[in-house]
Structures are given as C-alpha cells and as structure tokens.
Amino acid sequence: MNYLAMFISGRINAYKDDLLPMLLMFSQQPNLEIHLFCSLNSERDEYCMEAERILSPWLKDIYYEKYEIPKECYKENNHYTEFRIFYNSLSCFYNDKKAYSMIMEYSKKNNIDYNIICKFRPDIHLGQRLIFPTLS
C-alpha cells in the first residue's frame, strides 16, 4: 500500500466543487490510501462541520484557530494592503507548519511512512485524471 498525505491550510472554501471530486478520483487509484489533514484559519462553523462529515473518509485530523499576528510582528501604521499581504503570508506559514506537524504526529502514532506529502488548495480544479504509475 502507498500513502499520500494531503494537507490544506487556511480555508476550506469550495471543497465540494474541486477537492471532493479530486479525492474521489485519487481514491480510484489502486494501492493508494489518501489521508487528509487540515489546519484552518477559522472558527468551526456549520460549513466546516459539513465539510468534516463529507470529507470523513479521508480526514485524519483537523485543527481550527483564528490566526492572530504576534504582537512583535505588528506595526501600528501598516498600510492596509501591505498588512493584508503580511497577515495572509504569516497565517499561511503558520497553518502549513501546523498541518505538517499533524501529519508527522499521525505518521509516528500509526507507523505510516508517507510516499507523498503535498499541500493542496480546496479551490483548485485539476481538469483531468492524475495517475501515479510508480505507485501501482
């Protein structure tokens, strides 16, 4: 068996349109088990709970935290555009690190060596079937 760890960081928007079909497509790949990990910059609301239910066949761990910039990184007179870019970058890196840590913890706890670890955006449409010939 081959294992793919996929992580999403930040937001889970549009998961039904793009992420779910992609997971269903990958699930048809023989000898491939997909594990999904999410570190989200949000509160756990109804939309997120629905996503958890729908993605449950693949979802191994999910973490919610509304990201706040550390005080030492914040400047009072930041221009709004610069501030948003700065905030989004820090939030992205924070959630990437959190999701990767979840993957490593799950891997160690369940004695799994992942063949592939990838970051994926839930709003990216692949447009065609992907095959991993070296994993079969």
Side-chain angles (χ1 to χ4, degrees):
M1 180 61 67
N2 294 289
Y3 296 95
L4 177 133
M6 179 180 297
F7 72 91
I8 294 170
S9 61
R11 295 174 187 83
I12 194 90
N13 299 350
Y15 74 92
K16 286 183 190 176
D17 299 327
D18 299 310
L19 176 63
L20 183 58
M22 191 264 324
L23 287 169
L24 291 167
M25 178 184 63
F26 279 1
S27 295
Q28 296 173 11
Q29 181 75 29
N31 301 316
L32 180 63
E33 189 170 317
I34 303 161
H35 295 173
L36 180 64
F37 300 84
C38 303
S39 179
L40 304 178
N41 181 20
S42 69
E43 303 289 331
R44 186 172 184 249
D45 57 17
E46 286 186 35
Y47 184 81
C48 292
M49 288 187 277
E50 178 188 38
E52 288 177 28
R53 283 191 302 275
I54 291 172
L55 300 173
S56 66
W58 306 277
L59 189 63
K60 299 303 177 193
D61 202 356
I62 191 164
Y63 177 78
Y64 296 97
E65 180 183 351
K66 195 74 175 149
Y67 181 77
E68 292 186 27
I69 293 178
K71 298 292 184 205
E72 61 271 12
C73 297
Y74 184 79
K75 291 196 296 190
E76 288 294 328
N77 57 358
N78 264 340
H79 184 271
Y80 180 74
T81 303
E82 291 172 0
F83 177 77
R84 289 303 311 162
I85 293 169
F86 184 64
Y87 173 82
N88 289 344
S89 296
L90 286 178
S91 173
C92 175
F93 295 140
Y94 175 82
N95 284 293
D96 285 354
K97 181 180 183 290
K98 187 70 177 171
Y100 185 76
S101 295
M102 290 189 302
I103 292 169
M104 293 298 100
E105 184 179 316
Y106 187 89
S107 173
K108 185 176 181 178
K109 182 178 179 183
N110 293 281
N111 198 29
I112 293 173
D113 290 324
Y114 287 104
N115 303 87
I116 301 172
I117 297 175
C118 67
K119 177 179 179 176
F120 194 81
R121 285 184 48 152
D123 59 348
I124 298 295
H125 181 68
L126 295 177
Q128 64 182 5
R129 184 175 172 153
L130 292 179
I131 300 171
F132 299 110
T134 58
L135 296 178
S136 43

